Amino acid sequence: MKFKMQDKQNQLIERISDRHLVVGVDIAQQFHVARAVNYRGIVVGDPLTFENNEEGFNRFLEWINKLKAKNSLDTTIVGMEPTGHYWINLSKWLSNEKIDVVTVNPHLVKRNKENRDNTQSKSDKKDTLVIADMVKNGYYAFVRSTPESFEKLRVLMSNRDVIVKRLVSSINQLNRWVDVVFPELRQVFKDVKGKGAIATLRLFPTPIELRSMQPQDIVGKWKSVMKRQPGLKKAYLLIDLAKRSIGTHQALDAYKLHLEQLLEEYDLATTQLERVEQEVTNVLQQIPFAKKLLAIKGISEISLAGILGEAGDLSGFAHGNSLLRHAGLHLSEASSGKWKGQIVISKRGRSRLRRFLYLATMSLVMNNPEFKELHANNVKVKKIKKMKSIMKLCGKLARLFVGIAKRNESYSPEKLQPFSAQAA
């Protein structure tokens, strides 16, 4: 029997009993606001504004205990929006105090803001009531405890994204610098970020310096910084192009300073990227099922680390479809009466998890024989559009990952054969 989303919704509603104090918290950087209702949605007590520190958290806990005692309630559930990173410390502190913490979707909070007073007005005190109402109606999700290894991956992969952006930015600026000062450099080195091009920019920043040099001197300089360096032929070509360069001749001192700083930024980003990726490799070795997932041809350490960092322990998901919903890759449909709307991907989930699932699927389609065959069968036999086939295979990958993690079994290529191939 399939587990339907409505069954989950019913279970979440049933968890809220008449013994519950339901608290909604509006999260901010410095001050949080809290209000409470009972299981029927009747407001309990006055609102509380408390600081985002230990003293404020203790005031919040004392406020909860007073309301419970006054209204003869013995259980508390606290709901909040996962706003940026400001909610994390309060969530963990409450969990340590043995209080259930749940999150609500900020998009749904915005949509439900008129339920209480039928106006478009918005305030912190009103938002807290909207959050509390959503929790007592079952529109919430429990905060999953993340083992340390998975939290490390999330932090490392987030850091990697920042470093990659800086690295790409520095490479783009290097390309611009070459276009302005020495555009002919690409006739010698096709890739500006290649070792030969970077070494040349370090040693001979402008064409004017190259014009007066001998080819043997250039090769000697290359040898001092490179193990495998270009030969005399490229040195002759470089000098000839430098003499005929159309690059700018003005403000060369400023351009040389700019180049030095760009190369420093490029070196720093490259070094940091190597360190982060090495640390990612070390963390993956501590996760029991990661080795079995990496045994799948086409799965790289970076794509797997991105998935595990965003999703956490895959063995905690009931089904691969739960992972898809967590990523926002589940389907959404808008229909009414005779009108049937288009079915689209909801995109209500973690965008970074969607990205890594998509990239991992694309890599499998290109490198893994089983996924390549599944994609070909979808496109050629079932006449499915290519992108739709990729999205379908994202679901296959999610179910494969969750199955391997839950059952701790190895990858079995024969299970992924198309139905027609299995029948034959």
Side-chain angles (χ1 to χ4, degrees):
M1 182 177 176
K2 287 188 175 180
F3 182 81
K4 297 181 180 180
M5 190 60 195
Q6 186 60 55
D7 298 329
K8 179 182 178 182
Q9 188 69 34
N10 291 339
Q11 289 178 5
L12 292 175
I13 296 171
E14 289 170 355
R15 290 184 68 96
I16 309 298
S17 70
D18 57 356
R19 309 299 300 168
H20 265 93
L21 177 72
V22 183
V23 180
V25 180
D26 187 73
I27 298 293
Q29 183 180 22
Q30 296 180 336
F31 294 94
H32 307 315
V33 179
R35 296 193 79 175
V37 300
N38 63 15
Y39 80 107
R40 292 178 60 193
I42 299 174
V43 178
V44 175
D46 296 323
L48 172 74
T49 300
F50 61 100
E51 292 183 343
N52 187 23
N53 55 34
E54 187 178 12
E55 182 181 350
F57 293 174
N58 284 321
R59 281 185 59 224
F60 179 48
L61 183 60
E62 183 181 349
W63 176 80
I64 288 175
N65 290 332
K66 285 182 179 178
L67 290 180
K68 285 165 62 178
K70 184 177 180 180
N71 295 276
S72 302
L73 303 173
D74 52 26
T75 308
T76 306
I77 184 168
V78 178
M80 60 187 72
E81 295 176 282
T83 307
H85 55 273
Y86 302 126
W87 66 282
I88 296 175
N89 292 336
L90 176 60
S91 170
K92 291 185 176 181
W93 189 87
L94 290 172
S95 296
N96 291 336
E97 296 294 327
K98 309 302 180 185
I99 294 177
D100 289 335
V101 180
V102 297
T103 59
V104 296
N105 191 323
H107 183 81
L108 293 181
V109 173
K110 186 176 181 181
R111 288 202 164 192
N112 283 275
K113 68 180 180 181
E114 296 186 25
N115 289 354
R116 276 276 171 178
D117 54 9
N118 196 31
T119 69
Q120 301 100 327
S121 63
K122 182 185 185 305
S123 66
D124 292 344
K125 293 180 180 179
K126 180 178 176 180
D127 285 349
T128 55
L129 278 181
V130 175
I131 293 170
D133 284 341
M134 289 178 61
V135 172
K136 65 99 175 170
N137 289 330
Y139 300 112
Y140 63 87
F142 280 98
V143 178
R144 298 176 63 215
S145 59
T146 306
E148 187 172 359
S149 297
F150 297 95
E151 188 164 351
K152 282 183 180 179
L153 286 178
R154 185 171 68 249
V155 174
L156 289 170
M157 293 305 295
S158 176
N159 186 22
R160 182 182 180 277
D161 278 356
V162 174
I163 295 171
V164 168
K165 286 180 182 177
R166 285 175 34 226
L167 180 60
V168 170
S169 175
S170 64
I171 291 171
N172 290 339
Q173 291 182 72
L174 279 172
N175 275 287
R176 179 189 178 279
W177 190 97
V178 169
D179 290 338
V180 174
V181 180
F182 193 10
E184 296 80 8
L185 182 68
R186 289 195 179 85
Q187 297 181 37
V188 184
F189 304 103
K190 293 182 179 179
D191 188 1
V192 172
K193 65 178 183 296
K195 291 183 179 179
I198 293 293
T200 302
L201 290 172
R202 291 187 202 280
L203 298 168
F204 325 110
T206 61
I208 292 177
E209 298 175 10
L210 286 165
R211 293 172 185 174
S212 59
M213 295 190 67
Q214 296 298 317
Q216 295 84 357
D217 297 333
I218 293 176
V219 174
K221 292 279 190 179
W222 278 338
K223 284 183 178 180
S224 65
V225 296
M226 300 172 66
K227 291 183 179 179
R228 295 181 61 185
Q229 68 285 336
L232 282 172
K233 185 177 179 180
K234 284 200 172 183
Y236 275 109
L237 178 60
L238 193 64
I239 294 172
D240 182 57
L241 291 171
K243 291 178 180 178
R244 298 184 287 112
S245 176
I246 61 169
T248 184
H249 299 285
Q250 292 183 318
L252 289 180
D253 289 342
Y255 276 112
K256 287 168 73 172
L257 176 61
H258 185 206
L259 178 62
E260 288 177 10
Q261 293 176 336
L262 287 177
L263 290 173
E264 288 173 3
E265 176 65 19
Y266 174 81
D267 292 339
L268 177 62
T270 303
T271 303
Q272 290 179 339
L273 185 61
E274 291 173 355
R275 288 178 58 192
V276 168
E277 291 184 348
Q278 180 57 52
E279 188 63 28
V280 165
T281 301
N282 296 337
V283 175
L284 283 175
Q285 293 174 355
Q286 302 170 14
I287 299 174
F289 57 81
K291 188 175 181 180
K292 295 181 178 179
L293 296 177
L294 287 172
I296 303 172
K297 186 176 181 181
I299 295 295
S300 66
E301 290 184 341
I302 295 303
S303 60
L304 179 61
I307 293 170
L308 297 182
E310 290 299 310
D313 189 354
L314 296 180
S315 61
F317 286 93
H319 192 272
N321 292 343
S322 301
L323 177 59
L324 289 179
R325 184 171 287 276
H326 191 57
L329 284 172
H330 57 293
L331 300 179
S332 175
E333 178 185 5
S335 300
S336 178
K338 295 181 179 180
W339 177 76
K340 187 174 178 64
Q342 187 179 7
I343 297 176
V344 297
I345 295 172
S346 71
K347 295 187 179 179
R348 295 284 179 84
R350 298 202 170 190
S351 59
R352 192 177 294 158
L353 179 56
R354 283 199 302 276
R355 171 160 60 92
F356 281 112
L357 280 172
Y358 173 77
L359 293 176
T361 303
M362 289 296 293
S363 177
L364 287 170
V365 168
M366 290 186 288
N367 301 296
N368 186 283
E370 294 77 40
F371 272 81
K372 190 179 295 186
E373 186 177 355
L374 286 170
H375 183 57
N377 185 69
N378 287 340
V379 174
K380 296 177 181 178
V381 179
K382 298 182 179 180
K383 305 301 180 182
I384 299 176
K385 291 182 179 180
K386 290 183 178 180
M387 185 51 66
K388 191 173 180 180
S389 173
I390 295 296
M391 291 298 103
K392 190 175 181 180
L393 292 176
C394 281
K396 176 76 75 174
L397 178 63
R399 291 186 288 274
L400 175 67
F401 271 21
V402 172
I404 290 176
K406 287 182 73 70
R407 293 187 288 271
N408 196 27
E409 61 184 17
S410 299
Y411 171 63
S412 301
E414 61 276 3
K415 293 184 179 180
L416 290 177
Q417 294 294 325
F419 182 76
S420 57
Q422 291 178 355

